[in-house]
Amino acid sequence: MSIILRQPASLEWIYSHYIQLELLQGLSGVDYLINYTFPDAPEAVCPWLEVRHVPRTSIEGNIVPWLQERLMEGYYIYLFLNTYHLPSYSSYHESDYAHDPLIVGFDSSAHTFAIRDFHSNPKGYFKYETFNVDFASLERSYNTMSEDMDKLGGVQLLRVNANCTYQFDSKLAANSIADYLESRCSYPKVRNWLTTPVFSYGLQLYAHLSEHFRSVAEGKASPDFRLLHVFHDHKLLMRHRLHFMAYQKHLIPEHLAVNYDQVLTTSLRLRSIALKYYLTRDTKYLHKCDPLLSDLQNKEHQTLLAIIDALRS
């Protein structure tokens, strides 16, 4: 999305997708994630992206000049690296660990690549931003990747397809919202490098979040608020989508888009209370989450049902 949003028109494709959610196993095999559902890897089905996959066996010699050449051609570079050799990661000189940054540029005089990823910055914060990695460290991190660590089996080259034209697909949006409400995936999914077991879809995720809060309160699980951040992001994106549908495409009544604002407000309150627990470890905040989750589910269910009726009428 950070690539294709250079073209504001790409919002019509984004608003047509990124609707259904799934609970799935992480690539590590030891955690659970909430993610948006796609029939294939998102970059494989995005018309706004030009994508090339280059196998590791096709890249000969030093990786550094090869990456520089691709960046000069206007590509962003997506790949897995061994963070044992990258100073900005918590696993630096601790353990071999594969992570997938986006390389966005380089500085020949400083001998560094600019990459975007979650990392430990100099102020001690763990955050997502652009930072620099020296050529030698990146070369070592690439060369020490074992075959099982490299989920991509090489490098993805990505750049904007400026010739794309895509119009908002209201039928697809309506079907995806219905899938979300009915906790199903109604289309076949292609097995790809991102494929892991999926445990539930759509509204069923509320039950998982409720169980997660209970398990954390009882000391049976560690808090993983990535789940809640993605869940809230889903409400925020839906709010933008519905206002786009109402005020720009005139596909639904404006009051229905405004009604969803209450969903977003409740979601924000839920996330804020959960984060208070993260900061204080006072379980009273977790006990407040369950009734908020129930209220959020009811509000979202009723509002999205009305949206589907409006789109299909």
Side-chain angles (χ1 to χ4, degrees):
M1 291 177 71
S2 62
I3 296 172
I4 69 174
L5 281 172
R6 292 175 56 195
Q7 301 288 334
S10 67
L11 280 171
E12 301 225 5
W13 181 81
I14 291 171
Y15 289 154
S16 301
H17 298 80
Y18 292 95
I19 294 174
Q20 177 61 297
L21 291 176
E22 60 189 19
L23 176 71
L24 71 162
Q25 191 172 74
L27 287 173
S28 66
V30 297
D31 59 353
Y32 298 94
L33 302 174
I34 292 177
N35 204 358
Y36 290 96
T37 304
F38 276 88
D40 201 343
E43 70 274 11
V45 297
C46 179
W48 283 98
L49 275 181
E50 178 188 331
V51 184
R52 286 178 54 198
H53 179 266
V54 183
R56 290 180 71 92
T57 53
S58 299
I59 303 173
E60 299 179 355
N62 190 331
I63 186 66
V64 170
W66 188 90
L67 294 174
Q68 290 174 314
E69 290 172 9
R70 303 294 81 76
L71 289 164
M72 291 293 289
E73 292 170 356
Y75 286 104
Y76 296 88
I77 300 166
Y78 180 61
L79 76 174
F80 279 84
L81 296 172
N82 185 356
T83 58
Y84 177 89
H85 300 284
L86 300 177
S88 297
Y89 291 86
S90 57
S91 57
Y92 178 59
H93 284 177
E94 293 288 337
S95 60
D96 291 318
Y97 185 78
H99 212 256
D100 50 339
L102 187 72
I103 304 178
V104 300
F106 68 95
D107 185 329
S108 295
S109 59
H111 297 276
T112 57
F113 285 108
I115 71 177
R116 292 188 65 80
D117 197 5
F118 289 98
H119 75 118
S120 301
N121 72 6
K123 295 182 179 180
Y125 300 123
F126 184 72
K127 62 188 300 185
Y128 186 89
E129 61 185 2
T130 302
F131 57 100
N132 295 321
V133 172
D134 65 272
F135 289 166
S137 294
L138 191 137
E139 182 184 7
R140 284 193 296 272
S141 70
Y142 178 81
N143 289 338
T144 58
M145 287 283 294
S146 63
E147 186 175 344
D148 64 310
M149 291 171 66
D150 190 356
K151 304 296 184 182
L152 281 172
V155 173
Q156 274 190 353
L157 304 178
L158 310 167
R159 64 183 175 189
V160 171
N161 173 16
N163 296 319
C164 177
T165 56
Y166 186 96
Q167 299 296 315
F168 179 74
D169 190 335
S170 59
K171 183 178 180 180
L172 175 62
N175 290 341
S176 298
I177 292 172
D179 273 5
Y180 176 79
L181 292 177
E182 296 171 21
S183 301
R184 68 183 184 188
C185 180
S186 62
Y187 51 79
K189 297 175 70 174
V190 176
R191 186 171 182 83
N192 56 58
W193 70 274
L194 280 169
T195 300
T196 58
V198 176
F199 304 103
S200 57
Y201 291 101
L203 286 183
Q204 285 184 353
L205 271 63
Y206 278 95
H208 176 78
L209 281 172
S210 179
E211 177 59 31
H212 179 69
F213 288 138
R214 282 196 293 270
S215 295
V216 171
E218 294 169 3
K220 297 177 181 178
S222 299
D224 187 348
F225 291 110
R226 295 176 302 172
L227 304 174
L228 200 54
H229 287 311
V230 178
F231 204 64
H232 178 70
D233 175 77
H234 177 263
K235 315 311 169 200
L236 180 60
L237 180 55
M238 185 66 78
R239 188 263 184 192
H240 287 306
R241 175 184 295 110
L242 297 180
H243 278 249
F244 170 80
M245 291 163 61
Y247 294 99
Q248 294 190 43
K249 292 296 185 178
H250 307 291
L251 293 169
I252 60 174
E254 294 177 3
H255 75 271
L256 291 181
V258 172
N259 286 349
Y260 196 85
D261 291 357
Q262 299 176 28
V263 175
L264 183 63
T265 299
T266 304
S267 176
L268 181 60
R269 186 180 174 208
L270 171 65
R271 187 178 69 163
S272 298
I273 289 174
L275 290 177
K276 284 183 180 179
Y277 164 77
Y278 186 80
L279 292 172
T280 66
R281 291 300 195 265
D282 188 334
T283 57
K284 73 178 181 183
Y285 294 113
L286 290 179
H287 296 309
K288 294 180 179 180
C289 289
D290 212 46
L292 273 175
L293 266 176
S294 180
D295 182 37
L296 180 61
Q297 181 175 358
N298 289 334
K299 286 178 178 175
E300 185 172 47
H301 184 255
Q302 293 303 316
T303 305
L304 291 183
L305 277 178
I307 297 294
I308 292 176
D309 288 342
L311 286 172
R312 291 178 171 173
S313 62

